[in-house]
Amino acid sequence: QVQVVESGGGLVQPGGSLRLSCAASGSIFSINDMGWYRQSPGKERDLVARITTGGSTNYADSVKGRFTISIDNAKNTVYLQMNSLKPEDTAYYSCYANVFRTAVAGYSRYWGQGTQVTVSS
């Protein structure tokens, strides 16, 4: 079993900052990448940012220059530093980990329970 647990969401004023954390644990041989998606009511779930264990990153255009994703490979933990937050960043943020468990199982994607981020004055 693999568990993915997020923390760090909440309410923040426009222009403020939040830091999300996401830790994967359990029966993990290795991790290929971890990242964050977000979804607002009535919208599709979109990728916010992802990072490989080698440090390669991808960001949604809407967050480039404001959000920074980082990873602690020793802790199987990914962080999303969100600065200059805007009301349109309000969404439910979900973390995933692409985990390699065994040669038979290969890679599987595991999701956390998600955390709400609300940007409002």
Side-chain angles (χ1 to χ4, degrees), residues 58-87:
N58 299 95
Y59 293 94
D61 288 342
S62 59
V63 307
K64 285 180 180 177
R66 300 188 298 121
F67 290 12
T68 302
I69 191 168
S70 59
I71 192 167
D72 184 333
N73 291 322
K75 297 180 179 179
N76 291 334
T77 298
V78 65
Y79 306 94
L80 186 67
Q81 179 66 43
M82 304 185 294
N83 298 328
S84 302
L85 282 160
K86 304 175 181 180

PDB file of all heavy atoms in Angstrom, residues 58-87:
ATOM      1  N   ASN A  58       7.786  20.999 -14.523  1.00  0.00           N
ATOM      2  CA  ASN A  58       6.832  21.542 -15.473  1.00  0.00           C
ATOM      3  C   ASN A  58       5.822  22.363 -14.696  1.00  0.00           C
ATOM      4  O   ASN A  58       5.416  21.962 -13.597  1.00  0.00           O
ATOM      5  CB  ASN A  58       6.095  20.428 -16.232  1.00  0.00           C
ATOM      6  CG  ASN A  58       7.017  19.559 -17.043  1.00  0.00           C
ATOM      7  OD1 ASN A  58       7.441  18.505 -16.583  1.00  0.00           O
ATOM      8  ND2 ASN A  58       7.342  20.001 -18.234  1.00  0.00           N
ATOM      9  N   TYR A  59       5.411  23.492 -15.273  1.00  0.00           N
ATOM     10  CA  TYR A  59       4.434  24.356 -14.634  1.00  0.00           C
ATOM     11  C   TYR A  59       3.333  24.738 -15.612  1.00  0.00           C
ATOM     12  O   TYR A  59       3.574  24.895 -16.810  1.00  0.00           O
ATOM     13  CB  TYR A  59       5.083  25.659 -14.149  1.00  0.00           C
ATOM     14  CG  TYR A  59       6.072  25.500 -13.032  1.00  0.00           C
ATOM     15  CD1 TYR A  59       7.435  25.364 -13.291  1.00  0.00           C
ATOM     16  CD2 TYR A  59       5.659  25.513 -11.698  1.00  0.00           C
ATOM     17  CE1 TYR A  59       8.351  25.232 -12.270  1.00  0.00           C
ATOM     18  CE2 TYR A  59       6.566  25.395 -10.662  1.00  0.00           C
ATOM     19  CZ  TYR A  59       7.917  25.250 -10.961  1.00  0.00           C
ATOM     20  OH  TYR A  59       8.828  25.124  -9.944  1.00  0.00           O
ATOM     21  N   ALA A  60       2.140  24.931 -15.086  1.00  0.00           N
ATOM     22  CA  ALA A  60       1.088  25.540 -15.879  1.00  0.00           C
ATOM     23  C   ALA A  60       1.481  26.982 -16.166  1.00  0.00           C
ATOM     24  O   ALA A  60       2.097  27.647 -15.323  1.00  0.00           O
ATOM     25  CB  ALA A  60      -0.232  25.501 -15.115  1.00  0.00           C
ATOM     26  N   ASP A  61       1.119  27.464 -17.352  1.00  0.00           N
ATOM     27  CA  ASP A  61       1.481  28.841 -17.706  1.00  0.00           C
ATOM     28  C   ASP A  61       0.945  29.847 -16.689  1.00  0.00           C
ATOM     29  O   ASP A  61       1.591  30.861 -16.407  1.00  0.00           O
ATOM     30  CB  ASP A  61       0.927  29.176 -19.096  1.00  0.00           C
ATOM     31  CG  ASP A  61       1.676  28.476 -20.209  1.00  0.00           C
ATOM     32  OD1 ASP A  61       2.808  28.006 -19.968  1.00  0.00           O
ATOM     33  OD2 ASP A  61       1.124  28.393 -21.324  1.00  0.00           O
ATOM     34  N   SER A  62      -0.206  29.555 -16.125  1.00  0.00           N
ATOM     35  CA  SER A  62      -0.853  30.497 -15.220  1.00  0.00           C
ATOM     36  C   SER A  62      -0.129  30.674 -13.893  1.00  0.00           C
ATOM     37  O   SER A  62      -0.393  31.638 -13.165  1.00  0.00           O
ATOM     38  CB  SER A  62      -2.293  30.052 -14.945  1.00  0.00           C
ATOM     39  OG  SER A  62      -2.303  28.768 -14.369  1.00  0.00           O
ATOM     40  N   VAL A  63       0.804  29.766 -13.578  1.00  0.00           N
ATOM     41  CA  VAL A  63       1.500  29.858 -12.284  1.00  0.00           C
ATOM     42  C   VAL A  63       2.992  30.102 -12.427  1.00  0.00           C
ATOM     43  O   VAL A  63       3.689  30.284 -11.424  1.00  0.00           O
ATOM     44  CB  VAL A  63       1.261  28.598 -11.424  1.00  0.00           C
ATOM     45  CG1 VAL A  63      -0.232  28.317 -11.283  1.00  0.00           C
ATOM     46  CG2 VAL A  63       1.991  27.387 -11.984  1.00  0.00           C
ATOM     47  N   LYS A  64       3.479  30.093 -13.647  1.00  0.00           N
ATOM     48  CA  LYS A  64       4.920  30.310 -13.857  1.00  0.00           C
ATOM     49  C   LYS A  64       5.352  31.657 -13.273  1.00  0.00           C
ATOM     50  O   LYS A  64       4.690  32.668 -13.473  1.00  0.00           O
ATOM     51  CB  LYS A  64       5.243  30.262 -15.346  1.00  0.00           C
ATOM     52  CG  LYS A  64       5.233  28.864 -15.938  1.00  0.00           C
ATOM     53  CD  LYS A  64       5.565  28.886 -17.427  1.00  0.00           C
ATOM     54  CE  LYS A  64       5.551  27.483 -18.004  1.00  0.00           C
ATOM     55  NZ  LYS A  64       5.814  27.480 -19.473  1.00  0.00           N
ATOM     56  N   GLY A  65       6.463  31.622 -12.566  1.00  0.00           N
ATOM     57  CA  GLY A  65       6.976  32.839 -11.944  1.00  0.00           C
ATOM     58  C   GLY A  65       6.389  33.120 -10.575  1.00  0.00           C
ATOM     59  O   GLY A  65       6.893  33.990  -9.858  1.00  0.00           O
ATOM     60  N   ARG A  66       5.331  32.423 -10.211  1.00  0.00           N
ATOM     61  CA  ARG A  66       4.696  32.623  -8.903  1.00  0.00           C
ATOM     62  C   ARG A  66       4.801  31.386  -8.015  1.00  0.00           C
ATOM     63  O   ARG A  66       4.934  31.513  -6.792  1.00  0.00           O
ATOM     64  CB  ARG A  66       3.221  32.996  -9.085  1.00  0.00           C
ATOM     65  CG  ARG A  66       2.994  34.261  -9.883  1.00  0.00           C
ATOM     66  CD  ARG A  66       1.519  34.662  -9.862  1.00  0.00           C
ATOM     67  NE  ARG A  66       0.651  33.659 -10.479  1.00  0.00           N
ATOM     68  CZ  ARG A  66      -0.358  33.053  -9.841  1.00  0.00           C
ATOM     69  NH1 ARG A  66      -0.612  33.342  -8.561  1.00  0.00           N
ATOM     70  NH2 ARG A  66      -1.107  32.166 -10.478  1.00  0.00           N
ATOM     71  N   PHE A  67       4.705  30.215  -8.605  1.00  0.00           N
ATOM     72  CA  PHE A  67       4.750  28.962  -7.853  1.00  0.00           C
ATOM     73  C   PHE A  67       6.087  28.275  -8.092  1.00  0.00           C
ATOM     74  O   PHE A  67       6.645  28.332  -9.198  1.00  0.00           O
ATOM     75  CB  PHE A  67       3.642  28.016  -8.304  1.00  0.00           C
ATOM     76  CG  PHE A  67       2.241  28.436  -7.929  1.00  0.00           C
ATOM     77  CD1 PHE A  67       1.965  29.699  -7.443  1.00  0.00           C
ATOM     78  CD2 PHE A  67       1.186  27.545  -8.067  1.00  0.00           C
ATOM     79  CE1 PHE A  67       0.678  30.086  -7.110  1.00  0.00           C
ATOM     80  CE2 PHE A  67      -0.104  27.903  -7.743  1.00  0.00           C
ATOM     81  CZ  PHE A  67      -0.358  29.178  -7.277  1.00  0.00           C
ATOM     82  N   THR A  68       6.579  27.604  -7.060  1.00  0.00           N
ATOM     83  CA  THR A  68       7.810  26.837  -7.179  1.00  0.00           C
ATOM     84  C   THR A  68       7.602  25.462  -6.561  1.00  0.00           C
ATOM     85  O   THR A  68       7.188  25.361  -5.405  1.00  0.00           O
ATOM     86  CB  THR A  68       8.977  27.530  -6.464  1.00  0.00           C
ATOM     87  OG1 THR A  68       9.164  28.838  -7.020  1.00  0.00           O
ATOM     88  CG2 THR A  68      10.259  26.730  -6.646  1.00  0.00           C
ATOM     89  N   ILE A  69       7.895  24.427  -7.339  1.00  0.00           N
ATOM     90  CA  ILE A  69       7.794  23.064  -6.836  1.00  0.00           C
ATOM     91  C   ILE A  69       9.194  22.544  -6.536  1.00  0.00           C
ATOM     92  O   ILE A  69      10.149  22.837  -7.259  1.00  0.00           O
ATOM     93  CB  ILE A  69       7.051  22.147  -7.849  1.00  0.00           C
ATOM     94  CG1 ILE A  69       6.708  20.810  -7.207  1.00  0.00           C
ATOM     95  CG2 ILE A  69       7.850  21.979  -9.135  1.00  0.00           C
ATOM     96  CD1 ILE A  69       5.739  19.970  -8.034  1.00  0.00           C
ATOM     97  N   SER A  70       9.307  21.806  -5.439  1.00  0.00           N
ATOM     98  CA  SER A  70      10.592  21.225  -5.064  1.00  0.00           C
ATOM     99  C   SER A  70      10.336  19.848  -4.467  1.00  0.00           C
ATOM    100  O   SER A  70       9.202  19.529  -4.082  1.00  0.00           O
ATOM    101  CB  SER A  70      11.327  22.113  -4.066  1.00  0.00           C
ATOM    102  OG  SER A  70      10.560  22.317  -2.890  1.00  0.00           O
ATOM    103  N   ILE A  71      11.392  19.048  -4.389  1.00  0.00           N
ATOM    104  CA  ILE A  71      11.228  17.685  -3.897  1.00  0.00           C
ATOM    105  C   ILE A  71      12.371  17.328  -2.964  1.00  0.00           C
ATOM    106  O   ILE A  71      13.516  17.739  -3.184  1.00  0.00           O
ATOM    107  CB  ILE A  71      11.132  16.688  -5.086  1.00  0.00           C
ATOM    108  CG1 ILE A  71      10.668  15.316  -4.617  1.00  0.00           C
ATOM    109  CG2 ILE A  71      12.465  16.615  -5.839  1.00  0.00           C
ATOM    110  CD1 ILE A  71      10.265  14.393  -5.771  1.00  0.00           C
ATOM    111  N   ASP A  72      12.039  16.594  -1.916  1.00  0.00           N
ATOM    112  CA  ASP A  72      13.025  16.015  -1.005  1.00  0.00           C
ATOM    113  C   ASP A  72      12.964  14.510  -1.235  1.00  0.00           C
ATOM    114  O   ASP A  72      12.058  13.833  -0.731  1.00  0.00           O
ATOM    115  CB  ASP A  72      12.693  16.373   0.440  1.00  0.00           C
ATOM    116  CG  ASP A  72      13.735  15.882   1.424  1.00  0.00           C
ATOM    117  OD1 ASP A  72      14.422  14.874   1.125  1.00  0.00           O
ATOM    118  OD2 ASP A  72      13.854  16.480   2.505  1.00  0.00           O
ATOM    119  N   ASN A  73      13.900  13.999  -2.011  1.00  0.00           N
ATOM    120  CA  ASN A  73      13.843  12.587  -2.387  1.00  0.00           C
ATOM    121  C   ASN A  73      14.008  11.659  -1.186  1.00  0.00           C
ATOM    122  O   ASN A  73      13.438  10.574  -1.151  1.00  0.00           O
ATOM    123  CB  ASN A  73      14.918  12.282  -3.431  1.00  0.00           C
ATOM    124  CG  ASN A  73      14.622  12.942  -4.765  1.00  0.00           C
ATOM    125  OD1 ASN A  73      13.482  13.022  -5.191  1.00  0.00           O
ATOM    126  ND2 ASN A  73      15.668  13.412  -5.430  1.00  0.00           N
ATOM    127  N   ALA A  74      14.785  12.081  -0.214  1.00  0.00           N
ATOM    128  CA  ALA A  74      15.002  11.239   0.964  1.00  0.00           C
ATOM    129  C   ALA A  74      13.721  11.051   1.768  1.00  0.00           C
ATOM    130  O   ALA A  74      13.536  10.025   2.432  1.00  0.00           O
ATOM    131  CB  ALA A  74      16.081  11.856   1.848  1.00  0.00           C
ATOM    132  N   LYS A  75      12.829  12.038   1.679  1.00  0.00           N
ATOM    133  CA  LYS A  75      11.580  11.989   2.441  1.00  0.00           C
ATOM    134  C   LYS A  75      10.372  11.667   1.557  1.00  0.00           C
ATOM    135  O   LYS A  75       9.252  11.627   2.064  1.00  0.00           O
ATOM    136  CB  LYS A  75      11.346  13.317   3.150  1.00  0.00           C
ATOM    137  CG  LYS A  75      12.391  13.668   4.188  1.00  0.00           C
ATOM    138  CD  LYS A  75      12.066  15.004   4.849  1.00  0.00           C
ATOM    139  CE  LYS A  75      13.088  15.356   5.911  1.00  0.00           C
ATOM    140  NZ  LYS A  75      12.789  16.668   6.549  1.00  0.00           N
ATOM    141  N   ASN A  76      10.604  11.462   0.261  1.00  0.00           N
ATOM    142  CA  ASN A  76       9.486  11.245  -0.675  1.00  0.00           C
ATOM    143  C   ASN A  76       8.429  12.332  -0.509  1.00  0.00           C
ATOM    144  O   ASN A  76       7.216  12.054  -0.452  1.00  0.00           O
ATOM    145  CB  ASN A  76       8.858   9.857  -0.478  1.00  0.00           C
ATOM    146  CG  ASN A  76       9.778   8.737  -0.908  1.00  0.00           C
ATOM    147  OD1 ASN A  76      10.652   8.919  -1.760  1.00  0.00           O
ATOM    148  ND2 ASN A  76       9.592   7.577  -0.305  1.00  0.00           N
ATOM    149  N   THR A  77       8.891  13.547  -0.411  1.00  0.00           N
ATOM    150  CA  THR A  77       7.999  14.674  -0.143  1.00  0.00           C
ATOM    151  C   THR A  77       8.201  15.764  -1.189  1.00  0.00           C
ATOM    152  O   THR A  77       9.330  16.103  -1.530  1.00  0.00           O
ATOM    153  CB  THR A  77       8.255  15.239   1.260  1.00  0.00           C
ATOM    154  OG1 THR A  77       7.978  14.225   2.227  1.00  0.00           O
ATOM    155  CG2 THR A  77       7.374  16.443   1.540  1.00  0.00           C
ATOM    156  N   VAL A  78       7.089  16.296  -1.657  1.00  0.00           N
ATOM    157  CA  VAL A  78       7.121  17.388  -2.614  1.00  0.00           C
ATOM    158  C   VAL A  78       6.472  18.612  -1.980  1.00  0.00           C
ATOM    159  O   VAL A  78       5.547  18.483  -1.162  1.00  0.00           O
ATOM    160  CB  VAL A  78       6.406  16.998  -3.931  1.00  0.00           C
ATOM    161  CG1 VAL A  78       4.924  16.756  -3.702  1.00  0.00           C
ATOM    162  CG2 VAL A  78       6.624  18.048  -4.998  1.00  0.00           C
ATOM    163  N   TYR A  79       6.986  19.780  -2.326  1.00  0.00           N
ATOM    164  CA  TYR A  79       6.496  21.035  -1.788  1.00  0.00           C
ATOM    165  C   TYR A  79       6.064  21.948  -2.936  1.00  0.00           C
ATOM    166  O   TYR A  79       6.684  21.956  -3.997  1.00  0.00           O
ATOM    167  CB  TYR A  79       7.579  21.740  -0.967  1.00  0.00           C
ATOM    168  CG  TYR A  79       8.168  20.882   0.121  1.00  0.00           C
ATOM    169  CD1 TYR A  79       9.340  20.150  -0.103  1.00  0.00           C
ATOM    170  CD2 TYR A  79       7.552  20.781   1.366  1.00  0.00           C
ATOM    171  CE1 TYR A  79       9.877  19.355   0.890  1.00  0.00           C
ATOM    172  CE2 TYR A  79       8.094  19.989   2.367  1.00  0.00           C
ATOM    173  CZ  TYR A  79       9.251  19.272   2.122  1.00  0.00           C
ATOM    174  OH  TYR A  79       9.784  18.480   3.107  1.00  0.00           O
ATOM    175  N   LEU A  80       5.022  22.711  -2.694  1.00  0.00           N
ATOM    176  CA  LEU A  80       4.589  23.709  -3.661  1.00  0.00           C
ATOM    177  C   LEU A  80       4.516  25.050  -2.952  1.00  0.00           C
ATOM    178  O   LEU A  80       3.620  25.273  -2.139  1.00  0.00           O
ATOM    179  CB  LEU A  80       3.225  23.352  -4.261  1.00  0.00           C
ATOM    180  CG  LEU A  80       2.752  24.270  -5.392  1.00  0.00           C
ATOM    181  CD1 LEU A  80       3.655  24.107  -6.613  1.00  0.00           C
ATOM    182  CD2 LEU A  80       1.301  23.965  -5.759  1.00  0.00           C
ATOM    183  N   GLN A  81       5.479  25.907  -3.240  1.00  0.00           N
ATOM    184  CA  GLN A  81       5.494  27.250  -2.682  1.00  0.00           C
ATOM    185  C   GLN A  81       4.706  28.153  -3.613  1.00  0.00           C
ATOM    186  O   GLN A  81       5.051  28.301  -4.785  1.00  0.00           O
ATOM    187  CB  GLN A  81       6.926  27.763  -2.543  1.00  0.00           C
ATOM    188  CG  GLN A  81       7.033  29.179  -1.997  1.00  0.00           C
ATOM    189  CD  GLN A  81       6.556  29.297  -0.573  1.00  0.00           C
ATOM    190  OE1 GLN A  81       6.855  28.452   0.267  1.00  0.00           O
ATOM    191  NE2 GLN A  81       5.791  30.341  -0.280  1.00  0.00           N
ATOM    192  N   MET A  82       3.646  28.725  -3.082  1.00  0.00           N
ATOM    193  CA  MET A  82       2.754  29.549  -3.894  1.00  0.00           C
ATOM    194  C   MET A  82       2.832  30.994  -3.411  1.00  0.00           C
ATOM    195  O   MET A  82       2.460  31.292  -2.270  1.00  0.00           O
ATOM    196  CB  MET A  82       1.314  29.028  -3.788  1.00  0.00           C
ATOM    197  CG  MET A  82       1.181  27.566  -4.174  1.00  0.00           C
ATOM    198  SD  MET A  82      -0.530  26.986  -4.186  1.00  0.00           S
ATOM    199  CE  MET A  82      -0.922  27.104  -2.451  1.00  0.00           C
ATOM    200  N   ASN A  83       3.329  31.864  -4.262  1.00  0.00           N
ATOM    201  CA  ASN A  83       3.467  33.279  -3.939  1.00  0.00           C
ATOM    202  C   ASN A  83       2.569  34.114  -4.840  1.00  0.00           C
ATOM    203  O   ASN A  83       2.092  33.639  -5.875  1.00  0.00           O
ATOM    204  CB  ASN A  83       4.912  33.723  -4.101  1.00  0.00           C
ATOM    205  CG  ASN A  83       5.872  32.999  -3.182  1.00  0.00           C
ATOM    206  OD1 ASN A  83       5.503  32.614  -2.068  1.00  0.00           O
ATOM    207  ND2 ASN A  83       7.096  32.802  -3.634  1.00  0.00           N
ATOM    208  N   SER A  84       2.361  35.345  -4.452  1.00  0.00           N
ATOM    209  CA  SER A  84       1.535  36.276  -5.244  1.00  0.00           C
ATOM    210  C   SER A  84       0.213  35.637  -5.642  1.00  0.00           C
ATOM    211  O   SER A  84      -0.210  35.690  -6.799  1.00  0.00           O
ATOM    212  CB  SER A  84       2.304  36.721  -6.489  1.00  0.00           C
ATOM    213  OG  SER A  84       3.530  37.339  -6.139  1.00  0.00           O
ATOM    214  N   LEU A  85      -0.432  35.032  -4.666  1.00  0.00           N
ATOM    215  CA  LEU A  85      -1.667  34.304  -4.949  1.00  0.00           C
ATOM    216  C   LEU A  85      -2.775  35.226  -5.426  1.00  0.00           C
ATOM    217  O   LEU A  85      -2.883  36.385  -4.969  1.00  0.00           O
ATOM    218  CB  LEU A  85      -2.100  33.531  -3.713  1.00  0.00           C
ATOM    219  CG  LEU A  85      -1.308  32.236  -3.482  1.00  0.00           C
ATOM    220  CD1 LEU A  85      -1.427  31.774  -2.049  1.00  0.00           C
ATOM    221  CD2 LEU A  85      -1.777  31.159  -4.448  1.00  0.00           C
ATOM    222  N   LYS A  86      -3.582  34.702  -6.332  1.00  0.00           N
ATOM    223  CA  LYS A  86      -4.692  35.437  -6.926  1.00  0.00           C
ATOM    224  C   LYS A  86      -6.000  34.717  -6.619  1.00  0.00           C
ATOM    225  O   LYS A  86      -6.002  33.499  -6.396  1.00  0.00           O
ATOM    226  CB  LYS A  86      -4.508  35.520  -8.443  1.00  0.00           C
ATOM    227  CG  LYS A  86      -3.188  36.127  -8.897  1.00  0.00           C
ATOM    228  CD  LYS A  86      -3.064  36.045 -10.411  1.00  0.00           C
ATOM    229  CE  LYS A  86      -1.736  36.620 -10.889  1.00  0.00           C
ATOM    230  NZ  LYS A  86      -1.614  36.544 -12.375  1.00  0.00           N
ATOM    231  N   PRO A  87      -7.107  35.419  -6.655  1.00  0.00           N
ATOM    232  CA  PRO A  87      -8.389  34.741  -6.431  1.00  0.00           C
ATOM    233  C   PRO A  87      -8.609  33.569  -7.382  1.00  0.00           C
ATOM    234  O   PRO A  87      -9.226  32.571  -7.004  1.00  0.00           O
ATOM    235  CB  PRO A  87      -9.404  35.857  -6.667  1.00  0.00           C
ATOM    236  CG  PRO A  87      -8.691  37.104  -6.276  1.00  0.00           C
ATOM    237  CD  PRO A  87      -7.273  36.890  -6.720  1.00  0.00           C
TER     238      PRO A  87
END
